[in-house]
Amino acid sequence: MATMAQAIRMALHYGEENLGVTDIFGEDVGPPLGGVFTCTQGLKTAYNSPLDERGIIGCALGLALAGQRPVCEIQFGDYIFNTIDLLKIVGNSHWASIGQFEIPLVCMTIVGAGIHGSIYHSHSFESIASHIPGWKIVLPSTPIDAYGMMISAIKDPNPVMFLYPKALIRVKGTELIPGEPEDEKELHRMIDAPTGPTLYHIMEARKSWKPEWPKGLTDYQVPFGKAKIVQEGSDITIVTYARHVFMAKEAADKLKQTEGISAEIIDLRTLYPWDRETVMNSVRKTGRVLILNEDTPVTNFGEHIYREIVDTCFYELVAKPRVLAGADVPGVGLHPNLEFASIPQVQDIEKAILAICSEKP
Amino acid sequence: MATMAQAIRMALHYGEENLGVTDIFGEDVGPPLGGVFTCTQGLKTAYNSPLDERGIIGCALGLALAGQRPVCEIQFGDYIFNTIDLLKIVGNSHWASIGQFEIPLVCMTIVGAGIHGSIYHSHSFESIASHIPGWKIVLPSTPIDAYGMMISAIKDPNPVMFLYPKALIRVKGTELIPGEPEDEKELHRMIDAPTGPTLYHIMEARKSWKPEWPKGLTDYQVPFGKAKIVQEGSDITIVTYARHVFMAKEAADKLKQTEGISAEIIDLRTLYPWDRETVMNSVRKTGRVLILNEDTPVTNFGEHIYREIVDTCFYELVAKPRVLAGADVPGVGLHPNLEFASIPQVQDIEKAILAICSEKP
Amino acid sequence: MDKALKLKILDLMITSRCMEERLIKMSKSADGFFWLGGPGEEAFNIPLGLLARPGQGLDYDYFHFHYRNGATMLAMGMDPKDEIRQMNNRATDPFSGGRNFCNHYARYEWNVVPVTSTIQTQWLVAPGTARAQKRHGGDGITIVTCGDAGTAEGDFHIGLNWATQPGHESPVLFIITNNQYGISTPYEQVHGTRTLASMGAGYGMEYGEVDGTDVEASYAKLQEVMAYVRKERKPFLLEAHVTRLYGHSSSSGANRVPEGSEQDPIETWLKKLIKQKLITREAYEEKFKAEVQRMNQLLAEVKQEPEPTGDSIYQHIFKEV
Amino acid sequence: MDKALKLKILDLMITSRCMEERLIKMSKSADGFFWLGGPGEEAFNIPLGLLARPGQGLDYDYFHFHYRNGATMLAMGMDPKDEIRQMNNRATDPFSGGRNFCNHYARYEWNVVPVTSTIQTQWLVAPGTARAQKRHGGDGITIVTCGDAGTAEGDFHIGLNWATQPGHESPVLFIITNNQYGISTPYEQVHGTRTLASMGAGYGMEYGEVDGTDVEASYAKLQEVMAYVRKERKPFLLEAHVTRLYGHSSSSGANRVPEGSEQDPIETWLKKLIKQKLITREAYEEKFKAEVQRMNQLLAEVKQEPEPTGDSIYQHIFKEV
Ligand SMILES: Cc1ncc(C[n+]2csc(CCOP(=O)(O)OP(=O)(O)O)c2C)c(N)n1
Ligand SMILES: Cc1ncc(C[n+]2csc(CCOP(=O)(O)OP(=O)(O)O)c2C)c(N)n1
Ligand SMILES: [Mg+2]
Ligand SMILES: [Mg+2]
């Protein structure tokens, strides 16, 4: 099965062939590398930009204003924080011009911890992103969702922030993307650029390389604003996304066995607009909820979900809800002891579930 | 009584004379203007920087690293959004160097709506600011608090984000700042720079002008992390700050008269670290709470307070709490109809109080 | 320059000045809030508007304006009533529906992208429209303006850098209108070099200066550099020296600067045309008076138009799919 | 340059290379995570460290390093064990206590301010320390380094602009180590001009280039420009042409580039010293082998040192009042 990197690459290929994508650009996005996470290898409209995030967002906005359909990349979500004013402008241009200009722009950037990224390569971005009006925000956890949400992002005439998790970029999917060859070695042969020990070898190897795109790719979409119930359950609802979907699953599996707790896990997928209906229905059913993510805890996006849940289901909650988020510290330290203490781990999730489920109404 | 602008100016003067402030700088901060809101008139260490917010934060950090004590200004909080990466670095430098470097830096910037500031001069900053670890954040609502918190900010060896409200900058205080002359005309004569119809007149008038600083100014401090109970009450707690302290008061006064509702109003003053004790004690007493601010509502700082309150007082709340914040739109429109629809007004606050107080447990 | 053009420019100058002075009065009364605009820049901004090619799409020019380009918009054909609508924040304001400050244009049919209040960010959006134009072919160009103080932002560097990226050199006319001040900060306090234009050299870009209070010099220079940008599909950095006759904005009083402190380009042009016997001062004063009247009339009309409603804030957040 | 200095530089080169190669091996084993560093920059970075004046406070130099300045730190007197501690993220890492990547120094006693991973932000912090030095007097200067690709950030402009603000011109030695690549992006793809140094002209700043693979040229140039900055209290922009012998970082493999593709400054220097009969290749190889051994030994020792504990993340968020 395709990894998320391959899935994104195939969606971008579909986008440039069929959906009018004109420019895929960013730092190291074009040849020879095709992205530091390989998401843009072999794409015909991919090119390298100057090392300059403000220029990237600015140029993408200009392209969108001129009727193009750009997909720009900020190499690491960690390096998007010098562009917040520009993201505000991107988000307000349609509104400020009373609908005159459309801004069909996708900004993709990889987020979160889990790859020993140390102080400055472990940031989450959803809390600040969700505070910037005028953007739709997605954060898929699986390759097929990444494919389907990238197609939706490209088709949307509005700015879309396509976040994707560092920790899951190389994880293989469990569902075949429509059109993806069944044999993953075959997929590798077809679309992964040849590699080598150094950039010189890579440049040499790729001189004559051309990807062989799977023929049957479709415009399979995952609609915005639709969460996925990863597993049904009756005792507690876990609202999460990205890497923590899998960590929640692990914790829930364990507690199913040891305590018989039945957890319903919701993968939000779209963070703005998020799926209130699925979340509220679940909370109404279970009466207990854990909101889980890895961003720092003060003014955390999970607190928004939390507020909405309490506001909507206050008299239906049987235990006080919880937000489990990252530690309130200025960075994720490099040593695993530090990272584990900063980012919710499976055992922290277990503890939180137990605490909520053992609360007597 | 002094306005907030005068209060800040006097505190900065006290700081440069007695607390080692070395550099007060920013756009139009030095002569001839002394700040677009007059906060830095007549200060001996005030000077103009290039029009460049990134340079301002960067230079301030450099000065702090070199043992200086800078107070920098971002002319409008609205123009701080291109510096978020730098604010993160300022906030992590002490931590990243395991305590080797101190960062005694104050960044002052004016925030919020209420002066017909239109799309790009009406932003709140507390939600994003509070999501950046390593900073202390204050937002005073009165001149005397502004004085006392600026003194505290200067004395603190850590980065302090000194936010102050546009709508209140010219409002006179009701309490004399220690050392402030009793006659406000006298204060005006002493410390307000002469003005004129154009910049040319102003430059001419100020050539020979020198402020006459009040002799008795003290290092009166408002400690960080201490909220102020603006009025005591028993039916509902209103947690707010800045301009909305006064709007809450107005709404509460009205409802006292018409409905006999007794509201306790808390002016948070410090947003990080905020005064959990005062807030929780009040909520425990009233069982009802309204959290009120004007920032946009998704991932709003008020949602953090909300989460903490629900988490701490869940079983003591007799009605579901509410957050009343700005509208979820990309900007505050210029026409008053638009601004009033975007920012909580007195009657919106009344409605929210009524809704909470009329809820049957 | 033929006579008709000379007089047309004078007419546009009059309209522009009367419009701005109408706006200034509005900012001092209950008819408007914040004002800022371009009195002092007309001799440059009008030729710019006349030589530009407004229209929709890549065959036309794209405009990324600073907040002092009212005269340019008039020269491009804007009805001054629209500007008054924006100043009076009416629902009928065609640029922002009463949402934005005056001089904050957005006009899709003319490729005028939304003016933003953030200093200098337009400088890094401009290379984007220019890249699209370069790819499209034809001779449409991107025009972007800024002030002198704003060049201190990193975005100044970024715009020039992107427009000269090898393989992506693109047709941007970068214009700095240098009025010697950023609000209250004099040019010499914040810039170490005599000219900002010469910064272009570092990027291997063509650059130049012009006296932006001189109509003929401005017109000629703009003709020359636009032809270069249109043809070569490469950027040009132009610094125009202009004045700021009503100070920075209504925040700084919006009062006329003292006689003799800054040149009034309309007076300069008028004197020239009088000398050339193309007009008399009396005729000019007549025109001016009539235009003042017209602006008053336009305001009276605009004030009858609907206000935006509170509910309308939720419109146009997203384009419906 | 006397013989002793020449040999000292060679010794430092050996130490530096052996240290970096030790780190690279760690990144490929369980002993470390991400690596990046400076093999290929030694001929420039060591003279820089030797000529700099580390110490605490305004009388000494301030350092705002890029992430390839290990050789500079060694030349300034760093114990390679400290670098290995950081790579092994031990609690004993004196720079960050196991919190940060290798080559991310912070040393208060030497005015080495925390190295940040954000490209180019150091460029706008540097004018701050330099302003403090200018005010203080003496001849302490601020030294800031960056790569070629990073100069595309707006912060490049900002640093140069602040260091030349009239009345605030300050003693910053701005250094670009140009290795012709930003990760995988070749210099020619993103820069329209042959030299980055010449950008200094736009700011009225002195500037120059040097072959950073040549020890003597680097030493002489640094001596000259440091003397200028120390004395004139004005900035200088220096571009050093260097190589990148192990590619960008461990993310790109951290393998040695093919023979002949990039110059190894140690080999060049060694050949020169052999020619001058200051050393034999055998003696060099002996030294190198011994240094490899020493690094292994240091790692073995470091691995016995304590790890940071989870709880420690809450230390040093704020300085206690
Ligand atoms: C990013 C940003 N910072 C600060 C401001 C506030 N501000 C508005 S205009 C101005 C001065 C601009 O001066 P200049 O660039 O010379 O243009 P001018 O107004 O003189 O035409 C400032 C500081 C702003 N609008 N945007
Ligand atoms: C602001 C920012 N953007 C992107 C990155 C990711 N990144 C790390 S190193 C690098 C390339 C830097 O190239 P250059 O400036 O030439 O320095 P070199 O590594 O070649 O010494 C990039 C893009 C970053 N660290 N910071
Ligand atoms: Mg100006
Ligand atoms: Mg490089």
Side-chain angles (χ1 to χ4, degrees):
Chain A
M1 302 277 180
T3 62
M4 194 182 285
Q6 291 172 321
I8 291 172
R9 206 189 302 155
M10 288 190 283
L12 291 173
H13 166 70
Y14 188 87
E16 59 182 17
E17 289 297 337
N18 304 289
L19 306 174
V21 167
T22 52
D23 299 78
I24 299 171
F25 66 105
E27 297 159 14
D28 303 291
V29 156
L33 203 60
V36 291
F37 292 97
T38 76
C39 296
T40 52
Q41 287 182 348
L43 297 168
K44 70 177 188 195
T45 64
Y47 58 85
N48 291 332
S49 75
L51 198 176
D52 164 18
E53 296 75 21
R54 293 183 62 75
I56 290 168
I57 303 293
C59 184
L61 175 56
L63 286 163
L65 287 165
Q68 313 298 294
R69 203 167 270 274
V71 177
C72 68
E73 180 180 87
I74 300 297
Q75 191 167 76
F76 288 82
D78 310 275
Y79 297 118
I80 203 166
F81 296 102
N82 58 354
T83 71
I84 306 300
D85 58 327
L86 303 174
L87 299 180
K88 275 176 170 279
I89 291 171
V90 169
N92 81 16
S93 291
H94 186 67
W95 188 85
S97 68
I98 44 169
Q100 292 182 80
F101 285 90
E102 285 180 35
I103 317 292
L105 174 164
V106 180
C107 175
M108 55 189 273
T109 192
I110 193 162
V111 295
I115 58 162
H116 307 295
S118 179
I119 300 184
Y120 222 93
H121 292 78
S122 306
H123 285 108
S124 298
F125 183 50
E126 66 268 28
S127 294
I128 290 182
S130 60
H131 191 66
I132 306 173
W135 284 81
K136 301 186 181 176
I137 306 166
V138 303
L139 179 38
S141 69
T142 63
I144 187 159
D145 279 356
Y147 185 96
M149 302 191 97
M150 181 57 89
I151 299 289
S152 296
I154 292 168
K155 286 191 153 190
D156 202 288
N158 296 291
V160 178
M161 183 62 65
F162 186 93
L163 307 175
Y164 53 112
K166 282 177 204 139
L168 301 178
I169 186 70
R170 296 193 169 105
V171 175
K172 285 172 191 162
T174 55
E175 263 178 276
L176 221 50
I177 295 164
E180 176 190 346
E182 298 213 359
D183 179 358
E184 70 192 32
K185 289 210 186 91
E186 178 65 3
L187 181 67
H188 170 64
R189 188 194 60 73
M190 291 169 74
I191 71 166
D192 287 346
T195 186
T198 75
L199 185 61
Y200 293 91
H201 297 89
I202 288 175
M203 288 195 288
E204 193 52 40
R206 294 185 186 176
K207 257 185 195 154
S208 56
W209 175 72
K210 272 220 160 69
E212 188 188 324
W213 297 104
K215 290 271 145 42
L217 294 174
T218 73
D219 81 338
Y220 171 78
Q221 289 169 65
V222 174
F224 292 161
K226 284 266 163 267
K228 181 159 73 184
I229 299 179
V230 175
Q231 72 176 37
E232 300 203 3
S234 51
D235 294 331
I236 183 173
T237 300
I238 304 175
V239 182
T240 187
Y241 41 83
R243 179 158 69 114
H244 280 84
V245 170
F246 298 95
M247 294 170 86
K249 182 97 173 62
E250 210 179 315
D253 285 351
K254 173 116 178 271
L255 292 178
K256 176 98 206 167
Q257 287 209 331
T258 58
E259 312 284 329
I261 292 173
S262 160
E264 179 145 307
I265 300 176
I266 296 176
D267 179 357
L268 224 41
R269 305 196 295 189
T270 309
L271 308 191
Y272 194 94
W274 58 282
D275 188 348
R276 296 173 52 89
E277 200 185 327
T278 299
V279 169
M280 299 308 170
N281 285 344
S282 177
V283 173
R284 286 203 175 96
K285 181 174 75 175
T286 63
R288 298 174 196 263
V289 62
L290 171 66
I291 295 152
L292 173 64
N293 69 40
E294 62 176 88
D295 205 343
T296 52
V298 181
T299 315
N300 175 299
F301 172 64
E303 297 184 317
H304 174 66
I305 308 281
Y306 181 97
R307 193 246 292 197
E308 294 276 331
I309 289 174
V310 176
D311 204 43
T312 311
C313 306
F314 187 67
Y315 299 103
E316 288 143 293
L317 287 165
V318 297
K320 68 173 184 178
R322 301 280 202 297
V323 174
L324 179 59
D328 189 16
V329 295
V332 172
L334 179 57
H335 192 284
N337 290 349
L338 305 176
E339 176 161 340
F340 295 164
S342 304
I343 304 286
Q345 301 297 309
V346 174
Q347 70 197 53
D348 303 317
I349 302 170
E350 285 170 31
K351 259 192 228 150
I353 296 174
L354 271 178
I356 299 170
C357 288
S358 63
E359 217 161 274
K360 297 276 162 316
Chain B
M1 301 277 178
T3 62
M4 195 183 284
Q6 291 173 320
I8 292 172
R9 206 189 302 155
M10 288 190 283
L12 291 173
H13 165 69
Y14 189 87
E16 59 182 17
E17 289 297 337
N18 304 288
L19 305 173
V21 167
T22 52
D23 299 78
I24 299 171
F25 66 106
E27 297 159 15
D28 304 292
V29 155
L33 202 60
V36 291
F37 292 96
T38 76
C39 295
T40 52
Q41 287 182 349
L43 297 168
K44 70 177 187 196
T45 64
Y47 57 85
N48 291 333
S49 75
L51 198 177
D52 163 18
E53 295 75 21
R54 293 183 62 75
I56 291 168
I57 303 292
C59 184
L61 175 57
L63 287 162
L65 287 164
Q68 313 299 294
R69 204 167 268 274
V71 178
C72 68
E73 179 180 86
I74 300 298
Q75 191 168 77
F76 287 83
D78 310 275
Y79 297 118
I80 203 166
F81 296 102
N82 58 354
T83 70
I84 307 299
D85 58 327
L86 302 174
L87 300 180
K88 276 178 169 276
I89 291 171
V90 169
N92 82 16
S93 291
H94 186 66
W95 188 86
S97 69
I98 43 169
Q100 292 181 80
F101 285 90
E102 286 179 35
I103 317 291
L105 173 164
V106 180
C107 176
M108 56 189 272
T109 193
I110 194 163
V111 295
I115 58 160
H116 306 295
S118 178
I119 300 186
Y120 222 94
H121 291 78
S122 305
H123 285 110
S124 298
F125 183 50
E126 67 267 29
S127 294
I128 290 182
S130 59
H131 192 68
I132 306 173
W135 285 81
K136 301 185 182 178
I137 305 165
V138 303
L139 178 39
S141 68
T142 63
I144 188 160
D145 279 356
Y147 185 95
M149 302 190 97
M150 181 57 89
I151 299 290
S152 295
I154 292 168
K155 286 191 153 187
D156 202 288
N158 296 292
V160 178
M161 182 63 64
F162 186 93
L163 307 175
Y164 53 112
K166 284 178 202 137
L168 301 177
I169 186 71
R170 295 191 170 105
V171 175
K172 284 172 190 160
T174 55
E175 263 178 276
L176 221 51
I177 295 164
E180 176 191 346
E182 300 213 357
D183 179 359
E184 70 192 31
K185 290 211 186 91
E186 179 65 5
L187 180 66
H188 170 64
R189 188 193 59 74
M190 292 169 74
I191 70 166
D192 288 345
T195 187
T198 75
L199 185 61
Y200 293 92
H201 297 89
I202 288 175
M203 288 196 288
E204 193 53 38
R206 294 184 186 176
K207 257 185 194 154
S208 56
W209 175 72
K210 273 221 159 69
E212 189 188 323
W213 296 104
K215 289 272 145 43
L217 294 174
T218 72
D219 80 339
Y220 171 76
Q221 290 168 64
V222 174
F224 292 161
K226 285 266 164 267
K228 181 160 72 184
I229 299 179
V230 175
Q231 71 176 37
E232 299 203 4
S234 51
D235 294 330
I236 183 172
T237 300
I238 304 175
V239 182
T240 188
Y241 42 83
R243 179 159 68 115
H244 280 84
V245 170
F246 298 95
M247 294 170 87
K249 182 95 173 61
E250 211 179 315
D253 284 352
K254 173 118 178 270
L255 292 178
K256 177 96 206 169
Q257 287 208 332
T258 58
E259 313 284 326
I261 292 173
S262 159
E264 180 144 308
I265 300 176
I266 296 177
D267 178 357
L268 224 42
R269 305 196 292 191
T270 309
L271 308 191
Y272 194 95
W274 58 281
D275 188 347
R276 296 173 52 90
E277 201 185 326
T278 299
V279 169
M280 299 308 170
N281 284 344
S282 177
V283 174
R284 285 201 177 98
K285 183 174 73 176
T286 63
R288 299 177 196 261
V289 61
L290 171 67
I291 296 153
L292 172 64
N293 69 40
E294 61 176 87
D295 204 344
T296 53
V298 181
T299 315
N300 174 299
F301 172 63
E303 297 183 317
H304 174 66
I305 307 282
Y306 180 98
R307 192 246 293 199
E308 294 276 331
I309 289 174
V310 176
D311 204 44
T312 312
C313 306
F314 188 68
Y315 299 104
E316 288 144 292
L317 287 165
V318 296
K320 69 175 184 179
R322 301 280 200 297
V323 173
L324 178 59
D328 189 16
V329 295
V332 173
L334 179 57
H335 192 284
N337 290 348
L338 305 176
E339 176 160 338
F340 294 164
S342 304
I343 304 286
Q345 301 298 308
V346 174
Q347 69 197 52
D348 303 317
I349 302 170
E350 285 170 31
K351 260 192 230 151
I353 295 174
L354 270 179
I356 300 170
C357 287
S358 62
E359 216 161 274
K360 297 277 161 319
Chain C
M1 230 186 236
D2 63 21
K3 287 180 193 177
L5 179 57
K6 285 179 179 172
L7 286 171
K8 183 177 179 186
I9 289 175
L10 184 69
D11 282 348
L12 281 163
M13 282 176 144
I14 294 170
T15 301
S16 173
R17 185 63 60 84
C18 290
M19 178 182 83
E20 294 279 20
E21 289 180 346
R22 182 64 269 176
L23 302 184
I24 289 171
K25 282 207 190 96
M26 289 169 73
S27 79
K28 296 181 180 189
S29 71
D31 292 327
F33 301 110
F34 183 71
W35 170 84
L36 79 179
E41 303 196 1
E42 296 90 345
F44 180 82
N45 282 346
I46 289 168
L48 178 62
L50 291 175
L51 291 163
R53 300 201 192 144
Q56 206 292 304
L58 298 169
D59 290 317
Y60 299 91
D61 295 346
Y62 273 86
F63 303 93
H64 302 256
F65 285 137
H66 191 44
Y67 44 69
R68 303 198 192 276
N69 279 103
T72 310
M73 285 291 285
L74 287 172
M76 282 160 62
M78 176 179 74
D79 182 347
K81 195 172 189 176
D82 284 341
E83 177 75 75
I84 292 171
R85 288 181 167 118
Q86 188 168 46
M87 184 69 188
N88 197 234
N89 34 91
R90 293 283 135 180
T92 50
D93 149 22
F95 312 122
S96 72
R99 290 175 176 180
N100 221 337
F101 287 146
C102 73
N103 261 281
H104 280 59
Y105 308 109
R107 176 156 263 173
Y108 181 74
E109 312 89 61
W110 290 356
N111 288 346
V112 176
V113 312
V115 172
T116 50
S117 296
T118 44
I119 294 290
Q120 216 60 27
T121 53
Q122 70 276 23
W123 216 252
L124 42 75
V125 180
T129 55
R131 279 181 186 212
Q133 290 173 306
K134 182 197 169 101
R135 177 159 58 209
H136 176 74
D139 61 1
I141 68 172
T142 286
I143 296 170
V144 54
T145 57
C146 78
D148 49 303
T151 64
E153 297 275 1
D155 297 348
F156 177 73
H157 168 62
I158 295 173
L160 305 184
N161 194 44
W162 281 67
T164 53
Q165 190 190 347
H168 298 273
E169 301 85 352
S170 21
V172 189
L173 174 52
F174 291 103
I175 294 171
I176 305 163
T177 46
N178 185 346
N179 60 17
Q180 298 293 322
Y181 288 99
I183 303 186
S184 71
T185 304
Y187 180 86
E188 317 79 52
Q189 267 189 26
V190 282
H191 294 286
T193 42
R194 199 198 57 78
T195 91
L196 294 165
S198 61
M199 292 276 208
Y203 305 85
M205 184 187 296
E206 297 292 310
Y207 60 92
E209 287 177 84
V210 68
D211 177 355
T213 63
D214 179 331
V215 169
E216 280 162 317
S218 295
Y219 196 93
K221 189 74 191 174
L222 280 165
Q223 244 178 339
E224 170 202 329
V225 304
M226 275 196 198
Y228 169 84
V229 177
R230 289 195 195 289
K231 178 149 178 295
E232 301 297 329
R233 317 307 287 156
K234 280 190 190 156
F236 190 98
L237 177 61
L238 179 63
E239 179 177 5
H241 297 279
V242 297
T243 59
R244 200 180 67 164
L245 294 179
Y246 282 89
H248 175 69
S249 70
S250 55
S251 296
S252 59
N255 296 309
R256 179 83 186 211
V257 296
E259 197 62 50
S261 61
E262 300 194 24
Q263 197 192 137
D264 183 342
I266 302 189
E267 189 56 30
T268 309
W269 187 234
L270 174 64
K271 281 195 183 129
K272 216 172 211 171
L273 298 197
I274 291 173
K275 222 175 186 170
Q276 295 175 11
K277 302 224 189 306
L278 293 178
I279 196 169
T280 63
R281 185 167 288 274
E282 294 67 42
Y284 163 81
E285 269 159 15
E286 205 68 7
K287 274 177 186 248
F288 201 95
K289 223 182 279 166
E291 204 60 0
V292 169
Q293 270 313 104
R294 182 162 78 106
M295 295 299 158
N296 291 344
Q297 180 55 34
L298 290 177
L299 173 58
E301 287 165 26
V302 162
K303 283 167 76 173
Q304 305 306 315
E305 294 175 356
E307 302 178 332
T309 61
D311 285 354
S312 71
I313 61 172
Y314 295 105
Q315 285 164 15
H316 307 301
I317 296 174
F318 290 110
K319 160 106 186 164
E320 296 296 317
V321 194
Chain D
M1 230 185 235
D2 64 21
K3 288 180 193 179
L5 179 57
K6 285 179 178 172
L7 286 171
K8 184 177 178 186
I9 289 175
L10 184 68
D11 283 348
L12 280 163
M13 283 176 144
I14 294 170
T15 302
S16 173
R17 184 65 59 85
C18 291
M19 179 182 83
E20 294 280 20
E21 289 179 345
R22 182 63 270 176
L23 302 184
I24 290 171
K25 284 207 189 96
M26 289 169 73
S27 78
K28 296 182 181 191
S29 71
D31 292 328
F33 302 110
F34 183 70
W35 170 83
L36 79 179
E41 303 196 2
E42 296 90 345
F44 181 83
N45 283 346
I46 289 167
L48 178 62
L50 291 174
L51 291 163
R53 300 199 192 146
Q56 206 292 303
L58 297 169
D59 290 317
Y60 299 90
D61 294 346
Y62 274 86
F63 304 93
H64 303 255
F65 285 136
H66 190 43
Y67 44 70
R68 303 198 192 276
N69 279 102
T72 311
M73 285 292 285
L74 287 172
M76 282 159 62
M78 176 180 73
D79 182 346
K81 194 171 188 176
D82 284 341
E83 177 75 75
I84 292 171
R85 288 179 167 119
Q86 188 168 47
M87 183 71 189
N88 198 234
N89 33 92
R90 293 284 134 180
T92 51
D93 148 23
F95 312 122
S96 72
R99 291 176 176 178
N100 220 336
F101 287 146
C102 74
N103 262 281
H104 280 60
Y105 308 110
R107 175 156 262 173
Y108 180 74
E109 311 90 60
W110 289 357
N111 288 346
V112 176
V113 311
V115 172
T116 50
S117 296
T118 44
I119 294 289
Q120 216 59 27
T121 52
Q122 70 276 22
W123 216 252
L124 43 74
V125 181
T129 55
R131 280 182 185 211
Q133 289 173 308
K134 182 198 171 98
R135 176 159 60 208
H136 177 75
D139 60 0
I141 67 173
T142 285
I143 295 170
V144 56
T145 58
C146 77
D148 49 305
T151 63
E153 296 274 1
D155 298 349
F156 178 72
H157 169 63
I158 296 173
L160 305 184
N161 194 42
W162 280 66
T164 53
Q165 190 190 346
H168 298 273
E169 300 85 352
S170 22
V172 189
L173 173 53
F174 290 103
I175 294 171
I176 305 163
T177 46
N178 184 345
N179 59 17
Q180 298 292 323
Y181 289 99
I183 304 188
S184 71
T185 305
Y187 180 87
E188 317 79 52
Q189 268 190 25
V190 282
H191 294 285
T193 43
R194 199 197 57 76
T195 92
L196 293 164
S198 61
M199 292 275 207
Y203 306 84
M205 183 187 295
E206 297 291 311
Y207 60 92
E209 287 177 85
V210 68
D211 177 355
T213 62
D214 178 332
V215 169
E216 280 162 317
S218 295
Y219 196 92
K221 189 74 190 174
L222 280 164
Q223 243 179 341
E224 171 203 328
V225 305
M226 275 195 197
Y228 169 84
V229 177
R230 289 194 196 289
K231 178 150 178 294
E232 301 297 328
R233 316 309 286 155
K234 279 189 190 157
F236 190 98
L237 177 62
L238 178 63
E239 179 177 5
H241 297 280
V242 297
T243 59
R244 200 180 67 164
L245 294 179
Y246 283 89
H248 176 69
S249 70
S250 55
S251 296
S252 59
N255 296 309
R256 180 81 187 211
V257 296
E259 196 63 48
S261 60
E262 300 194 25
Q263 197 193 137
D264 183 343
I266 302 188
E267 189 58 29
T268 310
W269 187 235
L270 175 63
K271 279 193 184 132
K272 214 170 210 172
L273 298 197
I274 290 173
K275 220 173 188 176
Q276 294 175 12
K277 302 225 189 303
L278 292 176
I279 196 169
T280 63
R281 186 167 288 273
E282 294 67 42
Y284 163 81
E285 269 160 14
E286 204 66 8
K287 273 176 186 250
F288 201 96
K289 223 181 281 169
E291 205 60 0
V292 169
Q293 269 313 105
R294 182 163 78 106
M295 295 300 157
N296 291 345
Q297 180 55 34
L298 290 178
L299 172 58
E301 288 165 25
V302 162
K303 283 166 76 172
Q304 305 306 315
E305 294 175 355
E307 301 178 333
T309 61
D311 285 354
S312 72
I313 62 172
Y314 296 105
Q315 285 164 14
H316 306 302
I317 296 174
F318 291 109
K319 160 105 185 165
E320 296 295 319
V321 195

